[in-house]
Amino acid sequence: MEKALASASLPFKLLLSCPSGLSPPQVSVAFDVAYDRLLHQDIELENSISEIWDQKVQDNKSLYNGTKFRYGGHNLLCGDGSNQDSHVCLHLGLTDYRTFMGTNLNPQWEKFLVPSEDDSIRCQHTSSPLGNGAIVETSDRKIIVLQRSTNVGEFPGHYVFPGGHPEPQEIGITSHQYVKDLTGSELINKKVSQEMFDSIIREVVEEIGVPASTLCNTVFLGISRRELNVRPTAFFSIKCSLESKEIQQLYLSAQDGYESTQLYAVSLSELENMTSKMPGCHQGGFALYKLMVESLKNT
């Protein structure tokens, strides 16, 4: 388990790589206001967040300012070197869609960045909501890939892995004040940690239509950050007990099938050929999965 180095030629950076995969007990969360976004000292830049959101709402009255978990870094513990003793603690705060639109998706997004080798410092002024993505392997050893609809806001027509975001509202978190009103921050941290795993199962079920009971062996692979807009995504590997042909049929009635136009079940080599048409963070997800495959070969 290691932090992976960035390359100037890649559209992504691997912030955290866990090649052997980490099970739920090996992934914890420190949820705290300390990991929220810091305001930028440039008042005009800060004001642009509201200006962008007001314009977006005027153009699209259906926009909703939902709360998201903000990625603020992590701690890595490797024990004696065995995978069973490895542990990651994710540092998460709160952010929202409005701030995401006004920082990460701001035409001036690079002005929010701080020159630093420390990623949490470099992105301290951005919303950086933590997304999630799943590399789902079928019982006939195929990987599931979706092609995004041409009607979506980001990367229309691109190939992606199923995914979305862990949701604070799913476990009753609406603000830090709400958490302060409860007793036992350790309980909250455990709930947020569980949501990291529950949410990716939920996204896979909603986007490809398979029953949750067919999904198992969910492991955390790491975090990839897209260099464009510095957007972070946590990736997981999930086994599905169904064959690819069965999944193709279930996909036709998937709850969130409107977000994509087609489902592909591909081999590892075929997937590699598709990565050039993936967003940067999903290319990073593929890199994390390849590291896991190589790790399994060496054991």
Side-chain angles (χ1 to χ4, degrees), residues 2-17 71 74 113-123 130 221-235 279-288 291:
E2 59 185 10
K3 291 184 179 180
L5 298 177
S7 170
S9 63
L10 296 176
F12 64 88
K13 177 182 180 181
L14 296 184
L15 303 181
L16 173 62
S17 173
Y71 175 69
H74 65 267
L113 302 182
V114 176
S116 175
E117 292 298 317
D118 185 325
D119 190 76
S120 61
I121 294 176
R122 179 176 180 246
C123 300
L130 183 63
L221 297 179
I223 297 177
S224 169
R225 189 189 287 285
R226 194 174 74 203
E227 288 293 4
L228 174 67
N229 305 128
V230 291
R231 187 174 183 181
T233 302
F235 282 93
C281 59
H282 286 257
Q283 292 183 35
F286 173 67
L288 289 168
L291 288 172

Tab-separated table of all heavy atoms in Angstrom, residues 2-17 71 74 113-123 130 221-235 279-288 291:
chain	number	residue	atom	x	y	z
A	2	GLU	N	0.586	2.157	-0.902
A	2	GLU	CA	1.506	3.273	-1.034
A	2	GLU	C	0.841	4.460	-1.698
A	2	GLU	O	-0.193	4.343	-2.350
A	2	GLU	CB	2.698	2.835	-1.887
A	2	GLU	CG	2.279	2.369	-3.275
A	2	GLU	CD	3.416	1.807	-4.095
A	2	GLU	OE1	4.500	1.606	-3.534
A	2	GLU	OE2	3.203	1.569	-5.287
A	3	LYS	N	1.451	5.613	-1.493
A	3	LYS	CA	1.078	6.779	-2.276
A	3	LYS	C	1.796	6.665	-3.612
A	3	LYS	O	2.979	6.365	-3.675
A	3	LYS	CB	1.509	8.073	-1.576
A	3	LYS	CG	0.727	8.372	-0.299
A	3	LYS	CD	1.140	9.715	0.273
A	3	LYS	CE	0.352	10.033	1.520
A	3	LYS	NZ	0.734	11.330	2.100
A	4	ALA	N	1.066	6.891	-4.701
A	4	ALA	CA	1.679	6.766	-6.013
A	4	ALA	C	2.108	8.130	-6.511
A	4	ALA	O	1.490	9.149	-6.219
A	4	ALA	CB	0.695	6.123	-6.989
A	5	LEU	N	3.167	8.155	-7.264
A	5	LEU	CA	3.690	9.407	-7.782
A	5	LEU	C	2.863	9.901	-8.958
A	5	LEU	O	2.311	9.131	-9.733
A	5	LEU	CB	5.149	9.213	-8.227
A	5	LEU	CG	6.126	8.809	-7.121
A	5	LEU	CD1	7.502	8.584	-7.726
A	5	LEU	CD2	6.184	9.855	-6.020
A	6	ALA	N	2.803	11.197	-9.116
A	6	ALA	CA	2.082	11.793	-10.242
A	6	ALA	C	3.016	11.895	-11.434
A	6	ALA	O	4.233	11.904	-11.307
A	6	ALA	CB	1.571	13.183	-9.863
A	7	SER	N	2.439	11.961	-12.623
A	7	SER	CA	3.205	12.152	-13.843
A	7	SER	C	2.598	13.301	-14.624
A	7	SER	O	1.377	13.388	-14.769
A	7	SER	CB	3.188	10.879	-14.706
A	7	SER	OG	3.727	11.141	-15.990
A	8	ALA	N	3.434	14.180	-15.108
A	8	ALA	CA	2.942	15.354	-15.839
A	8	ALA	C	2.217	14.953	-17.115
A	8	ALA	O	1.414	15.705	-17.646
A	8	ALA	CB	4.112	16.282	-16.162
A	9	SER	N	2.489	13.748	-17.618
A	9	SER	CA	1.887	13.314	-18.880
A	9	SER	C	0.524	12.662	-18.671
A	9	SER	O	-0.161	12.331	-19.631
A	9	SER	CB	2.820	12.328	-19.594
A	9	SER	OG	2.999	11.161	-18.810
A	10	LEU	N	0.121	12.429	-17.410
A	10	LEU	CA	-1.132	11.750	-17.121
A	10	LEU	C	-2.228	12.746	-16.743
A	10	LEU	O	-1.956	13.745	-16.089
A	10	LEU	CB	-0.943	10.752	-15.983
A	10	LEU	CG	0.001	9.571	-16.252
A	10	LEU	CD1	0.157	8.729	-14.987
A	10	LEU	CD2	-0.516	8.721	-17.396
A	11	PRO	N	-3.490	12.442	-17.118
A	11	PRO	CA	-4.602	13.325	-16.752
A	11	PRO	C	-5.129	13.045	-15.352
A	11	PRO	O	-6.198	13.498	-14.991
A	11	PRO	CB	-5.653	12.994	-17.812
A	11	PRO	CG	-5.394	11.565	-18.145
A	11	PRO	CD	-3.911	11.366	-18.031
A	12	PHE	N	-4.394	12.266	-14.558
A	12	PHE	CA	-4.811	11.960	-13.208
A	12	PHE	C	-3.598	11.823	-12.301
A	12	PHE	O	-2.465	11.674	-12.754
A	12	PHE	CB	-5.615	10.651	-13.166
A	12	PHE	CG	-4.806	9.439	-13.561
A	12	PHE	CD1	-4.073	8.716	-12.621
A	12	PHE	CD2	-4.771	9.008	-14.877
A	12	PHE	CE1	-3.328	7.605	-12.982
A	12	PHE	CE2	-4.032	7.895	-15.254
A	12	PHE	CZ	-3.301	7.197	-14.294
A	13	LYS	N	-3.871	11.872	-10.994
A	13	LYS	CA	-2.846	11.625	-9.987
A	13	LYS	C	-3.401	10.613	-8.997
A	13	LYS	O	-4.536	10.757	-8.537
A	13	LYS	CB	-2.495	12.929	-9.260
A	13	LYS	CG	-1.480	12.757	-8.131
A	13	LYS	CD	-1.218	14.095	-7.438
A	13	LYS	CE	-0.203	13.941	-6.298
A	13	LYS	NZ	0.045	15.224	-5.608
A	14	LEU	N	-2.640	9.576	-8.705
A	14	LEU	CA	-3.059	8.614	-7.701
A	14	LEU	C	-2.635	9.127	-6.332
A	14	LEU	O	-1.458	9.148	-6.002
A	14	LEU	CB	-2.441	7.240	-7.974
A	14	LEU	CG	-2.854	6.548	-9.279
A	14	LEU	CD1	-2.242	5.162	-9.357
A	14	LEU	CD2	-4.373	6.473	-9.406
A	15	LEU	N	-3.611	9.561	-5.562
A	15	LEU	CA	-3.328	10.099	-4.236
A	15	LEU	C	-3.061	8.985	-3.234
A	15	LEU	O	-2.330	9.176	-2.263
A	15	LEU	CB	-4.506	10.944	-3.746
A	15	LEU	CG	-4.935	12.110	-4.642
A	15	LEU	CD1	-6.095	12.855	-4.007
A	15	LEU	CD2	-3.769	13.052	-4.906
A	16	LEU	N	-3.674	7.830	-3.476
A	16	LEU	CA	-3.541	6.701	-2.569
A	16	LEU	C	-3.766	5.415	-3.340
A	16	LEU	O	-4.737	5.288	-4.078
A	16	LEU	CB	-4.581	6.818	-1.444
A	16	LEU	CG	-4.716	5.648	-0.470
A	16	LEU	CD1	-3.413	5.437	0.298
A	16	LEU	CD2	-5.867	5.898	0.484
A	17	SER	N	-2.848	4.480	-3.205
A	17	SER	CA	-2.948	3.206	-3.905
A	17	SER	C	-2.877	2.052	-2.911
A	17	SER	O	-1.944	1.976	-2.112
A	17	SER	CB	-1.811	3.079	-4.935
A	17	SER	OG	-1.789	1.788	-5.506
A	71	TYR	N	-13.142	15.634	0.504
A	71	TYR	CA	-11.903	14.911	0.746
A	71	TYR	C	-10.826	15.875	1.220
A	71	TYR	O	-10.494	16.843	0.537
A	71	TYR	CB	-11.436	14.199	-0.528
A	71	TYR	CG	-10.088	13.516	-0.372
A	71	TYR	CD1	-9.957	12.392	0.435
A	71	TYR	CD2	-8.959	14.021	-1.001
A	71	TYR	CE1	-8.731	11.773	0.607
A	71	TYR	CE2	-7.721	13.405	-0.842
A	71	TYR	CZ	-7.609	12.279	-0.038
A	71	TYR	OH	-6.388	11.682	0.126
A	74	HIS	N	-5.632	11.901	4.062
A	74	HIS	CA	-5.733	10.582	4.700
A	74	HIS	C	-4.469	10.267	5.497
A	74	HIS	O	-3.428	10.897	5.304
A	74	HIS	CB	-5.948	9.494	3.640
A	74	HIS	CG	-4.779	9.340	2.707
A	74	HIS	ND1	-4.704	10.018	1.503
A	74	HIS	CD2	-3.630	8.609	2.799
A	74	HIS	CE1	-3.565	9.708	0.900
A	74	HIS	NE2	-2.900	8.857	1.664
A	113	LEU	N	-5.983	27.056	-6.449
A	113	LEU	CA	-4.944	26.137	-6.010
A	113	LEU	C	-3.777	26.857	-5.348
A	113	LEU	O	-3.442	27.988	-5.701
A	113	LEU	CB	-4.431	25.315	-7.201
A	113	LEU	CG	-5.481	24.494	-7.956
A	113	LEU	CD1	-4.817	23.697	-9.076
A	113	LEU	CD2	-6.238	23.573	-7.009
A	114	VAL	N	-3.155	26.181	-4.399
A	114	VAL	CA	-1.983	26.691	-3.687
A	114	VAL	C	-0.764	25.883	-4.126
A	114	VAL	O	-0.817	24.651	-4.126
A	114	VAL	CB	-2.156	26.554	-2.158
A	114	VAL	CG1	-0.897	26.998	-1.432
A	114	VAL	CG2	-3.370	27.346	-1.695
A	115	PRO	N	0.327	26.541	-4.526
A	115	PRO	CA	1.529	25.790	-4.911
A	115	PRO	C	2.052	24.977	-3.723
A	115	PRO	O	2.517	25.540	-2.733
A	115	PRO	CB	2.525	26.885	-5.322
A	115	PRO	CG	1.687	28.082	-5.619
A	115	PRO	CD	0.520	27.995	-4.693
A	116	SER	N	1.943	23.662	-3.805
A	116	SER	CA	2.406	22.801	-2.724
A	116	SER	C	2.477	21.362	-3.207
A	116	SER	O	1.663	20.932	-4.037
A	116	SER	CB	1.450	22.890	-1.519
A	116	SER	OG	1.834	21.976	-0.516
A	117	GLU	N	3.433	20.605	-2.678
A	117	GLU	CA	3.523	19.183	-2.964
A	117	GLU	C	2.514	18.397	-2.135
A	117	GLU	O	2.187	17.255	-2.452
A	117	GLU	CB	4.948	18.672	-2.674
A	117	GLU	CG	6.006	19.212	-3.629
A	117	GLU	CD	5.755	18.791	-5.062
A	117	GLU	OE1	5.413	17.609	-5.286
A	117	GLU	OE2	5.886	19.650	-5.962
A	118	ASP	N	2.048	19.010	-1.051
A	118	ASP	CA	1.037	18.387	-0.190
A	118	ASP	C	-0.332	18.617	-0.822
A	118	ASP	O	-0.800	19.751	-0.929
A	118	ASP	CB	1.092	19.009	1.204
A	118	ASP	CG	0.156	18.326	2.192
A	118	ASP	OD1	-0.928	17.892	1.785
A	118	ASP	OD2	0.516	18.242	3.378
A	119	ASP	N	-0.993	17.544	-1.250
A	119	ASP	CA	-2.244	17.675	-1.985
A	119	ASP	C	-3.336	18.348	-1.165
A	119	ASP	O	-4.133	19.117	-1.703
A	119	ASP	CB	-2.713	16.295	-2.456
A	119	ASP	CG	-3.867	16.390	-3.426
A	119	ASP	OD1	-3.637	16.725	-4.597
A	119	ASP	OD2	-5.020	16.154	-3.003
A	120	SER	N	-3.395	18.068	0.135
A	120	SER	CA	-4.443	18.665	0.959
A	120	SER	C	-4.262	20.177	1.077
A	120	SER	O	-5.243	20.927	1.180
A	120	SER	CB	-4.455	18.028	2.355
A	120	SER	OG	-3.225	18.230	3.015
A	121	ILE	N	-3.018	20.634	1.042
A	121	ILE	CA	-2.747	22.073	1.061
A	121	ILE	C	-3.010	22.677	-0.315
A	121	ILE	O	-3.619	23.741	-0.435
A	121	ILE	CB	-1.296	22.351	1.495
A	121	ILE	CG1	-1.095	21.916	2.946
A	121	ILE	CG2	-0.937	23.828	1.319
A	121	ILE	CD1	0.328	22.059	3.450
A	122	ARG	N	-2.558	21.994	-1.350
A	122	ARG	CA	-2.744	22.478	-2.726
A	122	ARG	C	-4.219	22.737	-3.029
A	122	ARG	O	-4.570	23.715	-3.696
A	122	ARG	CB	-2.180	21.450	-3.702
A	122	ARG	CG	-2.337	21.813	-5.176
A	122	ARG	CD	-1.654	20.786	-6.060
A	122	ARG	NE	-1.796	21.103	-7.457
A	122	ARG	CZ	-2.485	20.365	-8.338
A	122	ARG	NH1	-3.080	19.251	-7.927
A	122	ARG	NH2	-2.574	20.720	-9.597
A	123	CYS	N	-5.096	21.877	-2.520
A	123	CYS	CA	-6.523	21.981	-2.842
A	123	CYS	C	-7.367	22.482	-1.673
A	123	CYS	O	-8.578	22.257	-1.635
A	123	CYS	CB	-7.037	20.612	-3.291
A	123	CYS	SG	-6.202	19.946	-4.750
A	130	LEU	N	-15.853	14.158	-2.576
A	130	LEU	CA	-15.302	12.834	-2.858
A	130	LEU	C	-16.314	11.995	-3.632
A	130	LEU	O	-17.372	11.639	-3.107
A	130	LEU	CB	-14.914	12.126	-1.556
A	130	LEU	CG	-14.266	10.751	-1.718
A	130	LEU	CD1	-12.933	10.868	-2.463
A	130	LEU	CD2	-14.065	10.094	-0.363
A	221	LEU	N	-9.709	0.373	-3.270
A	221	LEU	CA	-8.470	0.337	-4.047
A	221	LEU	C	-7.612	1.585	-3.892
A	221	LEU	O	-6.400	1.539	-4.095
A	221	LEU	CB	-8.786	0.154	-5.531
A	221	LEU	CG	-9.481	-1.144	-5.944
A	221	LEU	CD1	-9.733	-1.142	-7.452
A	221	LEU	CD2	-8.651	-2.343	-5.536
A	222	GLY	N	-8.223	2.715	-3.559
A	222	GLY	CA	-7.449	3.946	-3.441
A	222	GLY	C	-8.220	5.148	-3.933
A	222	GLY	O	-9.427	5.074	-4.189
A	223	ILE	N	-7.508	6.250	-4.100
A	223	ILE	CA	-8.129	7.512	-4.527
A	223	ILE	C	-7.356	8.100	-5.690
A	223	ILE	O	-6.128	8.233	-5.650
A	223	ILE	CB	-8.177	8.522	-3.362
A	223	ILE	CG1	-9.058	7.980	-2.239
A	223	ILE	CG2	-8.705	9.877	-3.837
A	223	ILE	CD1	-9.116	8.859	-1.007
A	224	SER	N	-8.089	8.431	-6.734
A	224	SER	CA	-7.520	9.081	-7.914
A	224	SER	C	-8.074	10.490	-8.016
A	224	SER	O	-9.260	10.718	-7.768
A	224	SER	CB	-7.887	8.278	-9.171
A	224	SER	OG	-7.580	9.000	-10.350
A	225	ARG	N	-7.204	11.449	-8.358
A	225	ARG	CA	-7.662	12.820	-8.562
A	225	ARG	C	-7.465	13.215	-10.020
A	225	ARG	O	-6.388	13.053	-10.575
A	225	ARG	CB	-6.898	13.800	-7.671
A	225	ARG	CG	-7.524	15.204	-7.719
A	225	ARG	CD	-6.686	16.246	-7.036
A	225	ARG	NE	-6.664	16.187	-5.589
A	225	ARG	CZ	-7.665	16.572	-4.801
A	225	ARG	NH1	-8.789	16.991	-5.327
A	225	ARG	NH2	-7.542	16.510	-3.494
A	226	ARG	N	-8.536	13.665	-10.643
A	226	ARG	CA	-8.435	14.171	-12.006
A	226	ARG	C	-7.650	15.469	-11.995
A	226	ARG	O	-7.926	16.351	-11.181
A	226	ARG	CB	-9.855	14.417	-12.545
A	226	ARG	CG	-9.947	14.625	-14.040
A	226	ARG	CD	-11.395	14.720	-14.457
A	226	ARG	NE	-12.008	15.995	-14.092
A	226	ARG	CZ	-13.315	16.176	-13.942
A	226	ARG	NH1	-14.140	15.175	-14.084
A	226	ARG	NH2	-13.806	17.361	-13.627
A	227	GLU	N	-6.651	15.599	-12.853
A	227	GLU	CA	-5.854	16.827	-12.864
A	227	GLU	C	-6.688	18.012	-13.330
A	227	GLU	O	-6.532	19.117	-12.835
A	227	GLU	CB	-4.606	16.646	-13.749
A	227	GLU	CG	-3.551	15.741	-13.125
A	227	GLU	CD	-2.904	16.342	-11.876
A	227	GLU	OE1	-3.307	17.418	-11.419
A	227	GLU	OE2	-1.982	15.711	-11.347
A	228	LEU	N	-7.583	17.781	-14.295
A	228	LEU	CA	-8.505	18.836	-14.715
A	228	LEU	C	-9.539	19.031	-13.618
A	228	LEU	O	-10.260	18.098	-13.254
A	228	LEU	CB	-9.193	18.451	-16.030
A	228	LEU	CG	-10.294	19.403	-16.518
A	228	LEU	CD1	-9.703	20.753	-16.905
A	228	LEU	CD2	-11.050	18.791	-17.698
A	229	ASN	N	-9.596	20.217	-13.032
A	229	ASN	CA	-10.553	20.556	-11.976
A	229	ASN	C	-10.260	19.884	-10.633
A	229	ASN	O	-11.059	19.983	-9.714
A	229	ASN	CB	-11.998	20.221	-12.384
A	229	ASN	CG	-12.409	20.877	-13.678
A	229	ASN	OD1	-12.892	20.206	-14.589
A	229	ASN	ND2	-12.215	22.175	-13.790
A	230	VAL	N	-9.127	19.201	-10.513
A	230	VAL	CA	-8.683	18.537	-9.268
A	230	VAL	C	-9.836	17.889	-8.495
A	230	VAL	O	-10.069	18.184	-7.319
A	230	VAL	CB	-7.884	19.508	-8.359
A	230	VAL	CG1	-6.546	19.846	-8.968
A	230	VAL	CG2	-8.647	20.800	-8.045
A	231	ARG	N	-10.513	16.996	-9.165
A	231	ARG	CA	-11.668	16.331	-8.563
A	231	ARG	C	-11.302	14.921	-8.103
A	231	ARG	O	-10.839	14.110	-8.908
A	231	ARG	CB	-12.807	16.267	-9.579
A	231	ARG	CG	-14.109	15.757	-9.011
A	231	ARG	CD	-15.210	15.863	-10.045
A	231	ARG	NE	-16.487	15.440	-9.495
A	231	ARG	CZ	-17.620	15.418	-10.184
A	231	ARG	NH1	-17.622	15.798	-11.438
A	231	ARG	NH2	-18.740	15.030	-9.623
A	232	PRO	N	-11.482	14.567	-6.801
A	232	PRO	CA	-11.067	13.264	-6.279
A	232	PRO	C	-12.172	12.205	-6.340
A	232	PRO	O	-13.361	12.510	-6.170
A	232	PRO	CB	-10.721	13.577	-4.821
A	232	PRO	CG	-11.677	14.667	-4.461
A	232	PRO	CD	-11.927	15.474	-5.716
A	233	THR	N	-11.765	10.965	-6.544
A	233	THR	CA	-12.699	9.847	-6.574
A	233	THR	C	-12.091	8.637	-5.884
A	233	THR	O	-10.940	8.282	-6.148
A	233	THR	CB	-13.066	9.466	-8.029
A	233	THR	OG1	-13.635	10.593	-8.695
A	233	THR	CG2	-14.068	8.321	-8.059
A	234	ALA	N	-12.867	8.013	-5.005
A	234	ALA	CA	-12.449	6.768	-4.350
A	234	ALA	C	-12.914	5.600	-5.204
A	234	ALA	O	-14.080	5.562	-5.637
A	234	ALA	CB	-13.065	6.678	-2.955
A	235	PHE	N	-12.021	4.642	-5.460
A	235	PHE	CA	-12.374	3.493	-6.299
A	235	PHE	C	-12.390	2.202	-5.505
A	235	PHE	O	-11.607	2.005	-4.573
A	235	PHE	CB	-11.419	3.388	-7.487
A	235	PHE	CG	-11.739	4.358	-8.584
A	235	PHE	CD1	-11.124	5.606	-8.624
A	235	PHE	CD2	-12.689	4.058	-9.541
A	235	PHE	CE1	-11.436	6.520	-9.610
A	235	PHE	CE2	-13.020	4.974	-10.531
A	235	PHE	CZ	-12.388	6.205	-10.574
A	279	PRO	N	-12.720	9.868	-18.501
A	279	PRO	CA	-12.250	11.041	-17.746
A	279	PRO	C	-11.014	10.667	-16.940
A	279	PRO	O	-10.811	9.490	-16.607
A	279	PRO	CB	-13.439	11.359	-16.829
A	279	PRO	CG	-14.621	10.722	-17.478
A	279	PRO	CD	-14.100	9.501	-18.163
A	280	GLY	N	-10.203	11.651	-16.592
A	280	GLY	CA	-8.932	11.397	-15.929
A	280	GLY	C	-9.012	10.561	-14.672
A	280	GLY	O	-8.239	9.629	-14.475
A	281	CYS	N	-9.992	10.859	-13.787
A	281	CYS	CA	-10.050	10.107	-12.533
A	281	CYS	C	-10.395	8.648	-12.795
A	281	CYS	O	-9.926	7.756	-12.078
A	281	CYS	CB	-11.046	10.732	-11.560
A	281	CYS	SG	-12.730	10.854	-12.149
A	282	HIS	N	-11.192	8.370	-13.842
A	282	HIS	CA	-11.536	6.987	-14.167
A	282	HIS	C	-10.349	6.266	-14.807
A	282	HIS	O	-10.206	5.054	-14.628
A	282	HIS	CB	-12.766	6.945	-15.071
A	282	HIS	CG	-14.032	7.242	-14.337
A	282	HIS	ND1	-14.936	6.268	-13.963
A	282	HIS	CD2	-14.536	8.411	-13.863
A	282	HIS	CE1	-15.940	6.824	-13.306
A	282	HIS	NE2	-15.721	8.122	-13.239
A	283	GLN	N	-9.510	6.994	-15.531
A	283	GLN	CA	-8.250	6.401	-15.982
A	283	GLN	C	-7.413	6.010	-14.762
A	283	GLN	O	-6.753	4.974	-14.753
A	283	GLN	CB	-7.487	7.385	-16.867
A	283	GLN	CG	-8.162	7.653	-18.208
A	283	GLN	CD	-7.341	8.570	-19.092
A	283	GLN	OE1	-6.125	8.532	-19.083
A	283	GLN	NE2	-8.019	9.403	-19.870
A	284	GLY	N	-7.464	6.849	-13.727
A	284	GLY	CA	-6.776	6.522	-12.482
A	284	GLY	C	-7.382	5.295	-11.821
A	284	GLY	O	-6.669	4.462	-11.254
A	285	GLY	N	-8.717	5.162	-11.901
A	285	GLY	CA	-9.382	3.978	-11.359
A	285	GLY	C	-8.920	2.715	-12.054
A	285	GLY	O	-8.699	1.678	-11.415
A	286	PHE	N	-8.745	2.800	-13.371
A	286	PHE	CA	-8.235	1.659	-14.128
A	286	PHE	C	-6.806	1.335	-13.701
A	286	PHE	O	-6.437	0.162	-13.544
A	286	PHE	CB	-8.285	1.960	-15.628
A	286	PHE	CG	-7.627	0.904	-16.477
A	286	PHE	CD1	-8.166	-0.362	-16.562
A	286	PHE	CD2	-6.467	1.188	-17.175
A	286	PHE	CE1	-7.557	-1.349	-17.332
A	286	PHE	CE2	-5.850	0.219	-17.950
A	286	PHE	CZ	-6.395	-1.053	-18.025
A	287	ALA	N	-5.992	2.369	-13.477
A	287	ALA	CA	-4.618	2.157	-13.026
A	287	ALA	C	-4.598	1.455	-11.670
A	287	ALA	O	-3.777	0.559	-11.430
A	287	ALA	CB	-3.878	3.490	-12.947
A	288	LEU	N	-5.509	1.846	-10.769
A	288	LEU	CA	-5.592	1.202	-9.464
A	288	LEU	C	-5.987	-0.268	-9.601
A	288	LEU	O	-5.456	-1.136	-8.905
A	288	LEU	CB	-6.608	1.935	-8.580
A	288	LEU	CG	-6.200	3.319	-8.090
A	288	LEU	CD1	-7.396	4.052	-7.493
A	288	LEU	CD2	-5.082	3.225	-7.062
A	291	LEU	N	-3.078	-2.336	-10.809
A	291	LEU	CA	-2.150	-2.592	-9.716
A	291	LEU	C	-2.632	-3.755	-8.856
A	291	LEU	O	-1.834	-4.580	-8.399
A	291	LEU	CB	-1.985	-1.334	-8.860
A	291	LEU	CG	-1.184	-0.184	-9.476
A	291	LEU	CD1	-1.284	1.059	-8.599
A	291	LEU	CD2	0.272	-0.581	-9.663
